[in-house]
Amino acid sequence: MISRTPTLLLACDLGKSGGKFFYKLPQGQTHALWMEAEVAKRSASGVAQVIQGGRPQDNAWFRLGDELTFVGKAAQAFLDYNSFKEDKCLKAAERIAGALGAIAKTENLPAHFEAIVLILLPINELATRQHIASRLIEICQGFRFQDEMDYRIELKLSFRPEGYGIYVLRKQQVQQAGLAIAQRTTWIEMLGHRNGTQLAFETGTLNSAKSTSKFPGFWELFEKAANTAGVSMTEYGVLFQALESRQPELYSVAKGATINFSAAIAQVEAAYLAVLDSHFNDHLIPDLAAGKGDVILAGGAAYLMREPLWRYFDERGFSSRLSFAWENQEMLTRLVAAQLPEAHEMPSLSMRMTDGFGLFQALLGEMNRMKVAS
């Protein structure tokens, strides 16, 4: 039976640094989308003027009655901060609706279409999925994007724990090597800015008892260590840049001079590794010492701390069992470089999009299996 309306396939990874989306229409190609994380709501009567133009994802806003919701860059003019500590379930529905509107405008979709959506959430926030689903369904019953088009979207929603996409990509790699992932234990350590999550896959299945998100994210330790090292809040961005680039000497606008952040970098690395060491010793090292399992490190903090983390495992004799999630992802790297201009100023963008890309591969796989079954 031929669908009367187009069906959009969409995978969502709602990181605090930005939303990572992959989508595809029937007979279309895969598209990558990056949107800033902020959301702002204002009464229409309280907004004098909305700037139009530009890419839809850079000027994403929609109207529900008398309320205007701004998403991503469009929201930044109304907000003072973006909290790394805020739960991802907060405003998740609005962020996804903003992405749906931007995609609909970009792809010239009709006012009524279907969307099959997979969404990543931290494992400790999966209990909020019904709240997110209810709110998103409510919005998609009818919203006006950029005051130009009224969209009504029929949704089919599903949720997965953060790290699931990493596992899907790992499964593909293992299968290409002629092995079965069900024969291997895989530990995925999602080292995020806001929280840390460990997923344990055994015999091809997530072991919830060995999966945890009860260790802190990078940001909490970063703030404490930076303050101890005498780095002001206005210099956090420069210190982040120094960590990512591994170049300790960078220009500080706040101080009007080039600053050597070597001591601050060492302080941050030591503080974060100390917390991870406690977590690893409780939940990971005993299994590795028994010869069981491979470890995949993922997330923004893993990228910032990639060198000290590799040394940590190497010093314990486990580096041969260690890999980073963004390694050997040439297809993703090419896709991001070709489609997202942001990648030129954000070298880590393809790394950030790895989990969402794996989630999208899982969605495509599910759709193919449904076609075969029908």
Side-chain angles (χ1 to χ4, degrees):
M1 182 177 179
I2 299 175
S3 175
R4 297 178 181 177
T5 57
T7 299
L8 171 72
L9 302 181
L10 176 64
C12 311
D13 181 5
L14 304 175
K16 280 307 300 175
S17 58
K20 288 83 71 175
F21 305 92
F22 291 90
Y23 72 90
K24 183 180 183 297
L25 289 164
Q27 290 79 50
Q29 65 176 2
T30 297
H31 294 274
L33 185 70
W34 162 272
M35 292 180 66
E36 303 290 343
E38 292 83 359
V39 173
K41 295 182 180 182
R42 295 292 185 272
S43 169
S45 60
V47 178
Q49 184 180 8
V50 178
I51 298 174
Q52 300 284 17
R55 299 184 306 173
Q57 63 265 41
D58 294 334
N59 191 26
W61 62 278
F62 58 87
R63 178 191 293 268
L64 281 173
D66 187 51
E67 185 178 72
L68 305 183
T69 299
F70 300 86
V71 181
K73 284 186 178 180
Q76 292 176 348
F78 300 94
L79 299 173
D80 295 327
Y81 75 100
N82 173 7
S83 173
F84 278 114
K85 297 179 181 179
E86 188 176 75
D87 286 352
K88 291 185 180 179
C89 66
L90 301 177
K91 302 176 183 174
E94 286 79 4
R95 293 176 66 183
I96 297 170
L100 284 166
I103 293 168
K105 182 171 183 178
T106 299
E107 300 295 336
N108 196 28
L109 293 179
H112 176 218
F113 64 93
E114 299 173 349
I116 300 174
V117 185
L118 273 183
I119 303 165
L120 289 172
L121 283 177
I123 195 168
N124 64 318
E125 293 178 22
L126 281 174
T128 67
R129 59 188 180 273
Q130 188 56 53
H131 168 77
I132 295 172
S134 297
R135 176 57 180 158
L136 184 56
I137 290 170
E138 178 185 9
I139 294 173
C140 289
Q141 287 176 352
F143 67 89
R144 174 170 290 186
F145 189 75
Q146 294 182 341
D147 257 359
E148 295 178 354
M149 184 75 150
D150 291 306
Y151 289 110
R152 181 169 63 86
I153 308 171
E154 294 182 29
L155 297 173
K156 293 182 180 178
L157 303 175
S158 189
F159 296 82
R160 301 289 187 274
E162 279 186 351
Y164 179 80
I166 304 296
Y167 180 73
V168 171
L169 295 176
R170 176 66 170 180
K171 182 178 181 179
Q172 291 178 348
Q173 292 174 343
V174 170
Q175 288 176 336
Q176 289 169 4
L179 302 171
I181 198 165
Q183 299 170 354
R184 310 167 72 90
T185 297
T186 304
W187 305 88
I188 297 174
E189 303 291 333
M190 296 294 296
L191 307 181
H193 291 301
R194 188 176 56 83
N195 67 303
T197 299
Q198 174 179 285
L199 298 184
F201 289 89
E202 295 179 324
T203 63
T205 304
L206 178 66
N207 185 331
S208 299
K210 291 186 177 181
S211 300
T212 179
S213 57
K214 294 181 179 178
F215 60 104
F218 179 75
W219 182 250
E220 181 179 337
L221 283 304
F222 174 87
E223 282 187 309
K224 292 179 181 178
N227 290 335
T228 300
V231 178
S232 67
M233 187 178 296
T234 57
E235 295 177 298
Y236 283 179
V238 189
L239 180 53
F240 255 98
Q241 186 180 347
L243 278 163
E244 182 172 351
S245 65
R246 315 308 296 177
Q247 297 178 3
E249 293 190 5
L250 291 176
Y251 184 81
S252 168
V253 174
K255 292 186 176 178
T258 298
I259 304 297
N260 190 320
F261 288 97
S262 296
I265 290 173
Q267 192 100 12
V268 170
E269 290 179 349
Y272 190 52
L273 284 176
V275 170
L276 289 182
D277 182 58
S278 176
H279 161 70
F280 289 152
N281 281 322
D282 288 342
H283 300 284
L284 179 64
I285 298 299
D287 286 281
L288 293 180
K292 182 180 179 183
D294 299 315
V295 185
I296 304 173
L297 301 183
Y303 187 77
L304 288 174
M305 296 279 292
R306 56 196 180 277
E307 291 184 8
L309 281 167
W310 187 90
R311 288 195 300 269
Y312 175 92
F313 284 93
D314 187 55
E315 289 168 358
R316 288 155 180 79
F318 302 132
S319 58
S320 63
R321 316 251 289 284
L322 173 70
S323 62
F324 292 94
W326 55 87
E327 294 175 331
N328 304 313
Q329 296 297 335
E330 290 80 8
M331 184 188 300
L332 171 60
T333 302
R334 289 195 300 269
L335 180 68
V336 170
Q339 295 188 0
L340 298 180
E342 295 92 339
H344 296 290
E345 294 186 353
M346 297 168 57
S348 63
L349 187 55
S350 61
M351 175 279 300
R352 299 186 194 189
M353 301 189 79
T354 307
D355 203 11
F357 185 64
L359 182 72
F360 189 68
Q361 300 308 304
L363 178 56
L364 293 179
E366 290 179 16
M367 293 300 102
N368 288 335
R369 285 190 292 274
M370 288 174 62
K371 286 181 181 179
V372 172
S374 62

